[in-house]
PDB file of all heavy atoms in Angstrom:
ATOM      1  N   ASN A 159      30.139  36.257  32.550  1.00  0.00           N
ATOM      2  CA  ASN A 159      31.490  36.164  33.123  1.00  0.00           C
ATOM      3  C   ASN A 159      31.440  35.922  34.632  1.00  0.00           C
ATOM      4  O   ASN A 159      32.238  35.153  35.166  1.00  0.00           O
ATOM      5  CB  ASN A 159      32.293  37.432  32.816  1.00  0.00           C
ATOM      6  CG  ASN A 159      32.694  37.513  31.362  1.00  0.00           C
ATOM      7  OD1 ASN A 159      32.743  36.502  30.668  1.00  0.00           O
ATOM      8  ND2 ASN A 159      32.962  38.720  30.889  1.00  0.00           N
ATOM      9  N   VAL A 160      30.497  36.578  35.303  1.00  0.00           N
ATOM     10  CA  VAL A 160      30.328  36.368  36.742  1.00  0.00           C
ATOM     11  C   VAL A 160      29.937  34.913  37.001  1.00  0.00           C
ATOM     12  O   VAL A 160      30.447  34.272  37.915  1.00  0.00           O
ATOM     13  CB  VAL A 160      29.268  37.333  37.337  1.00  0.00           C
ATOM     14  CG1 VAL A 160      28.900  36.949  38.755  1.00  0.00           C
ATOM     15  CG2 VAL A 160      29.763  38.766  37.299  1.00  0.00           C
ATOM     16  N   GLN A 161      29.054  34.381  36.156  1.00  0.00           N
ATOM     17  CA  GLN A 161      28.625  32.992  36.312  1.00  0.00           C
ATOM     18  C   GLN A 161      29.804  32.035  36.106  1.00  0.00           C
ATOM     19  O   GLN A 161      29.948  31.047  36.827  1.00  0.00           O
ATOM     20  CB  GLN A 161      27.491  32.668  35.324  1.00  0.00           C
ATOM     21  CG  GLN A 161      26.911  31.280  35.497  1.00  0.00           C
ATOM     22  CD  GLN A 161      26.278  31.049  36.859  1.00  0.00           C
ATOM     23  OE1 GLN A 161      25.590  31.914  37.377  1.00  0.00           O
ATOM     24  NE2 GLN A 161      26.524  29.890  37.450  1.00  0.00           N
ATOM     25  N   LYS A 162      30.673  32.354  35.143  1.00  0.00           N
ATOM     26  CA  LYS A 162      31.863  31.507  34.907  1.00  0.00           C
ATOM     27  C   LYS A 162      32.776  31.523  36.134  1.00  0.00           C
ATOM     28  O   LYS A 162      33.305  30.484  36.541  1.00  0.00           O
ATOM     29  CB  LYS A 162      32.637  31.997  33.679  1.00  0.00           C
ATOM     30  CG  LYS A 162      32.003  31.612  32.362  1.00  0.00           C
ATOM     31  CD  LYS A 162      32.821  32.146  31.197  1.00  0.00           C
ATOM     32  CE  LYS A 162      32.055  31.998  29.901  1.00  0.00           C
ATOM     33  NZ  LYS A 162      32.619  32.806  28.821  1.00  0.00           N
ATOM     34  N   LEU A 163      32.964  32.718  36.701  1.00  0.00           N
ATOM     35  CA  LEU A 163      33.770  32.829  37.933  1.00  0.00           C
ATOM     36  C   LEU A 163      33.150  31.986  39.039  1.00  0.00           C
ATOM     37  O   LEU A 163      33.850  31.244  39.740  1.00  0.00           O
ATOM     38  CB  LEU A 163      33.817  34.286  38.411  1.00  0.00           C
ATOM     39  CG  LEU A 163      34.820  35.220  37.784  1.00  0.00           C
ATOM     40  CD1 LEU A 163      34.619  36.630  38.340  1.00  0.00           C
ATOM     41  CD2 LEU A 163      36.228  34.761  38.041  1.00  0.00           C
ATOM     42  N   HIS A 164      31.845  32.116  39.195  1.00  0.00           N
ATOM     43  CA  HIS A 164      31.104  31.364  40.213  1.00  0.00           C
ATOM     44  C   HIS A 164      31.339  29.864  40.034  1.00  0.00           C
ATOM     45  O   HIS A 164      31.682  29.158  40.988  1.00  0.00           O
ATOM     46  CB  HIS A 164      29.615  31.723  40.086  1.00  0.00           C
ATOM     47  CG  HIS A 164      28.702  30.835  40.852  1.00  0.00           C
ATOM     48  ND1 HIS A 164      28.116  29.721  40.286  1.00  0.00           N
ATOM     49  CD2 HIS A 164      28.263  30.888  42.136  1.00  0.00           C
ATOM     50  CE1 HIS A 164      27.357  29.129  41.195  1.00  0.00           C
ATOM     51  NE2 HIS A 164      27.427  29.813  42.317  1.00  0.00           N
ATOM     52  N   ASP A 165      31.177  29.373  38.824  1.00  0.00           N
ATOM     53  CA  ASP A 165      31.347  27.941  38.560  1.00  0.00           C
ATOM     54  C   ASP A 165      32.772  27.491  38.845  1.00  0.00           C
ATOM     55  O   ASP A 165      32.998  26.423  39.419  1.00  0.00           O
ATOM     56  CB  ASP A 165      30.965  27.614  37.110  1.00  0.00           C
ATOM     57  CG  ASP A 165      29.484  27.873  36.825  1.00  0.00           C
ATOM     58  OD1 ASP A 165      28.703  28.002  37.796  1.00  0.00           O
ATOM     59  OD2 ASP A 165      29.124  27.959  35.642  1.00  0.00           O
ATOM     60  N   LYS A 166      33.751  28.333  38.447  1.00  0.00           N
ATOM     61  CA  LYS A 166      35.161  28.001  38.656  1.00  0.00           C
ATOM     62  C   LYS A 166      35.472  27.864  40.148  1.00  0.00           C
ATOM     63  O   LYS A 166      36.112  26.899  40.583  1.00  0.00           O
ATOM     64  CB  LYS A 166      36.034  29.102  38.036  1.00  0.00           C
ATOM     65  CG  LYS A 166      37.510  28.989  38.342  1.00  0.00           C
ATOM     66  CD  LYS A 166      38.268  30.200  37.805  1.00  0.00           C
ATOM     67  CE  LYS A 166      39.388  30.556  38.729  1.00  0.00           C
ATOM     68  NZ  LYS A 166      40.034  31.805  38.425  1.00  0.00           N
ATOM     69  N   TRP A 167      34.983  28.817  40.950  1.00  0.00           N
ATOM     70  CA  TRP A 167      35.298  28.794  42.379  1.00  0.00           C
ATOM     71  C   TRP A 167      34.534  27.710  43.124  1.00  0.00           C
ATOM     72  O   TRP A 167      35.054  27.125  44.077  1.00  0.00           O
ATOM     73  CB  TRP A 167      35.105  30.174  43.002  1.00  0.00           C
ATOM     74  CG  TRP A 167      36.236  31.066  42.622  1.00  0.00           C
ATOM     75  CD1 TRP A 167      36.224  32.072  41.705  1.00  0.00           C
ATOM     76  CD2 TRP A 167      37.584  30.977  43.080  1.00  0.00           C
ATOM     77  NE1 TRP A 167      37.479  32.620  41.584  1.00  0.00           N
ATOM     78  CE2 TRP A 167      38.338  31.972  42.410  1.00  0.00           C
ATOM     79  CE3 TRP A 167      38.244  30.164  43.988  1.00  0.00           C
ATOM     80  CZ2 TRP A 167      39.688  32.173  42.629  1.00  0.00           C
ATOM     81  CZ3 TRP A 167      39.598  30.355  44.209  1.00  0.00           C
ATOM     82  CH2 TRP A 167      40.306  31.350  43.537  1.00  0.00           C
ATOM     83  N   LEU A 168      33.306  27.404  42.682  1.00  0.00           N
ATOM     84  CA  LEU A 168      32.589  26.288  43.318  1.00  0.00           C
ATOM     85  C   LEU A 168      33.314  24.973  43.045  1.00  0.00           C
ATOM     86  O   LEU A 168      33.410  24.119  43.927  1.00  0.00           O
ATOM     87  CB  LEU A 168      31.147  26.207  42.815  1.00  0.00           C
ATOM     88  CG  LEU A 168      30.150  27.167  43.440  1.00  0.00           C
ATOM     89  CD1 LEU A 168      28.727  26.820  43.010  1.00  0.00           C
ATOM     90  CD2 LEU A 168      30.228  27.201  44.940  1.00  0.00           C
ATOM     91  N   LYS A 169      33.845  24.831  41.841  1.00  0.00           N
ATOM     92  CA  LYS A 169      34.593  23.622  41.498  1.00  0.00           C
ATOM     93  C   LYS A 169      35.853  23.528  42.370  1.00  0.00           C
ATOM     94  O   LYS A 169      36.178  22.471  42.906  1.00  0.00           O
ATOM     95  CB  LYS A 169      34.972  23.655  40.012  1.00  0.00           C
ATOM     96  CG  LYS A 169      35.660  22.406  39.524  1.00  0.00           C
ATOM     97  CD  LYS A 169      35.898  22.463  38.024  1.00  0.00           C
ATOM     98  CE  LYS A 169      36.550  21.177  37.584  1.00  0.00           C
ATOM     99  NZ  LYS A 169      37.662  21.357  36.714  1.00  0.00           N
ATOM    100  N   LYS A 170      36.542  24.661  42.541  1.00  0.00           N
ATOM    101  CA  LYS A 170      37.752  24.707  43.370  1.00  0.00           C
ATOM    102  C   LYS A 170      37.417  24.326  44.826  1.00  0.00           C
ATOM    103  O   LYS A 170      38.145  23.557  45.456  1.00  0.00           O
ATOM    104  CB  LYS A 170      38.350  26.115  43.300  1.00  0.00           C
ATOM    105  CG  LYS A 170      39.485  26.387  44.253  1.00  0.00           C
ATOM    106  CD  LYS A 170      40.801  26.000  43.672  1.00  0.00           C
ATOM    107  CE  LYS A 170      41.930  26.517  44.555  1.00  0.00           C
ATOM    108  NZ  LYS A 170      42.952  25.527  44.768  1.00  0.00           N
ATOM    109  N   ILE A 171      36.312  24.852  45.343  1.00  0.00           N
ATOM    110  CA  ILE A 171      35.887  24.546  46.712  1.00  0.00           C
ATOM    111  C   ILE A 171      35.580  23.058  46.850  1.00  0.00           C
ATOM    112  O   ILE A 171      35.963  22.424  47.835  1.00  0.00           O
ATOM    113  CB  ILE A 171      34.680  25.433  47.107  1.00  0.00           C
ATOM    114  CG1 ILE A 171      35.177  26.860  47.382  1.00  0.00           C
ATOM    115  CG2 ILE A 171      33.933  24.875  48.313  1.00  0.00           C
ATOM    116  CD1 ILE A 171      34.088  27.889  47.567  1.00  0.00           C
ATOM    117  N   ASP A 172      34.910  22.491  45.852  1.00  0.00           N
ATOM    118  CA  ASP A 172      34.625  21.046  45.884  1.00  0.00           C
ATOM    119  C   ASP A 172      35.911  20.230  45.878  1.00  0.00           C
ATOM    120  O   ASP A 172      36.009  19.205  46.549  1.00  0.00           O
ATOM    121  CB  ASP A 172      33.739  20.645  44.699  1.00  0.00           C
ATOM    122  CG  ASP A 172      32.282  21.049  44.905  1.00  0.00           C
ATOM    123  OD1 ASP A 172      31.857  21.192  46.071  1.00  0.00           O
ATOM    124  OD2 ASP A 172      31.571  21.226  43.884  1.00  0.00           O
ATOM    125  N   GLU A 173      36.911  20.692  45.129  1.00  0.00           N
ATOM    126  CA  GLU A 173      38.209  19.992  45.085  1.00  0.00           C
ATOM    127  C   GLU A 173      38.900  20.058  46.452  1.00  0.00           C
ATOM    128  O   GLU A 173      39.456  19.063  46.921  1.00  0.00           O
ATOM    129  CB  GLU A 173      39.119  20.611  44.017  1.00  0.00           C
ATOM    130  CG  GLU A 173      38.686  20.306  42.601  1.00  0.00           C
ATOM    131  CD  GLU A 173      39.415  21.154  41.548  1.00  0.00           C
ATOM    132  OE1 GLU A 173      40.303  21.961  41.912  1.00  0.00           O
ATOM    133  OE2 GLU A 173      39.070  21.012  40.367  1.00  0.00           O
ATOM    134  N   ILE A 174      38.855  21.224  47.091  1.00  0.00           N
ATOM    135  CA  ILE A 174      39.462  21.382  48.426  1.00  0.00           C
ATOM    136  C   ILE A 174      38.794  20.415  49.398  1.00  0.00           C
ATOM    137  O   ILE A 174      39.463  19.721  50.168  1.00  0.00           O
ATOM    138  CB  ILE A 174      39.320  22.849  48.920  1.00  0.00           C
ATOM    139  CG1 ILE A 174      40.154  23.790  48.064  1.00  0.00           C
ATOM    140  CG2 ILE A 174      39.710  22.962  50.392  1.00  0.00           C
ATOM    141  CD1 ILE A 174      39.847  25.271  48.293  1.00  0.00           C
TER     142      ILE A 174
END
Side-chain angles (χ1 to χ4, degrees):
N159 288 338
V160 169
Q161 185 62 42
K162 283 179 191 164
L163 277 176
H164 168 267
D165 296 344
K166 172 186 145 189
W167 284 105
L168 280 189
K169 184 175 182 226
K170 172 87 170 135
I171 285 171
D172 284 335
E173 288 168 2
I174 293 168

